[in-house]
Amino acid sequence: MMRTVFGALACALALTAITPAAHAQDDLEERRKAAAALADNAFDLLQQGLLAEAADLFREANERFHSPMFVLFRADAEEKQGHLVEARALLQSILDEELAEYAPSSFHKANEDANKRVAALDDRVPRVTITVSGATSGPWKVTLDGKPLTAAELTDPVPLNPGTHQVRVATNDGRHDERSF
């Protein structure tokens, strides 16, 4: 009788120890399936030319279950919208990811594709260098499209998406100048 109770207790303890791991595996599989479904819908939207919606779904799919392929397709949707800077950053994130040798071949393929596309995008991304002159009542603040620029961004070319942009320089005494290009 003691042996039966001890055996039942050992079996219950073993099942309890396995259960969290099994639930974690089930959760992982559910997240993977949900991400795949989102990516399938996103790909359909991409094919229909609904680029912003596709990009959002690829982002959501990647948040549920990371895959460089989701990031690559999101970069495609961003690039087709003319968001070259964002597409470039997404592709770079794929390149920055360290892949294990045993990672799925699709992950390695996404990395290869990103590498090729980054070089092509670098040639297409417009850049601007902003030089401030005549602002004698210092310090001043420079914004590009409403976003403040750092000192480093004022010395290096700033990548931009194609389109119209606005630079604003404001001094502490309230004077400012704005230019569109």
Side-chain angles (χ1 to χ4, degrees):
M1 174 75 172
M2 183 71 146
R3 184 176 271 173
T4 305
V5 170
F6 181 72
L9 182 62
C11 184
L13 286 173
L15 287 175
T16 303
I18 292 173
T19 302
H23 285 294
Q25 188 65 29
D26 289 346
D27 182 55
L28 185 67
E29 184 60 21
E30 286 175 28
R31 287 190 0 240
R32 188 195 64 73
K33 286 181 181 178
L38 285 168
D40 285 345
N41 290 337
F43 192 75
D44 290 343
L45 292 171
L46 187 64
Q47 297 302 310
Q48 295 169 28
L50 300 170
L51 305 172
E53 295 86 348
D56 285 343
L57 281 184
F58 281 124
R59 178 195 45 75
E60 190 177 336
N62 192 58
E63 287 172 356
R64 295 239 180 141
F65 191 90
H66 174 63
S67 167
M69 292 302 296
F70 298 157
V71 178
L72 188 68
F73 283 122
R74 181 177 169 204
D76 190 39
E78 294 292 355
E79 182 180 355
K80 288 178 179 175
Q81 292 178 84
H83 303 160
L84 305 183
V85 173
E86 293 81 356
R88 170 67 170 79
L90 289 165
L91 294 170
Q92 187 63 51
S93 74
I94 295 170
L95 297 177
D96 292 343
E97 190 173 333
E98 291 187 35
L99 294 177
E101 287 182 29
Y102 56 83
S105 61
S106 62
F107 285 27
H108 290 281
K109 175 82 169 98
N111 187 282
E112 291 170 16
D113 289 352
N115 195 35
K116 292 174 191 168
R117 290 180 54 191
V118 159
L121 266 179
D122 279 343
D123 292 338
R124 293 181 45 218
V125 173
R127 288 171 175 68
V128 64
T129 302
I130 298 169
T131 305
V132 178
S133 61
T136 56
S137 59
W140 32 268
K141 181 176 135 182
V142 179
T143 59
L144 176 62
D145 298 331
K147 298 175 187 164
L149 294 180
T150 65
E153 290 171 316
L154 289 173
T155 58
D156 294 329
V158 178
L160 298 171
N161 287 320
T164 303
H165 299 278
Q166 185 175 37
V167 174
R168 184 175 200 264
V169 178
T171 62
N172 283 346
D173 64 6
R175 294 183 302 147
H176 68 275
D177 189 18
E178 294 181 14
R179 305 280 168 99
S180 293
F181 60 95

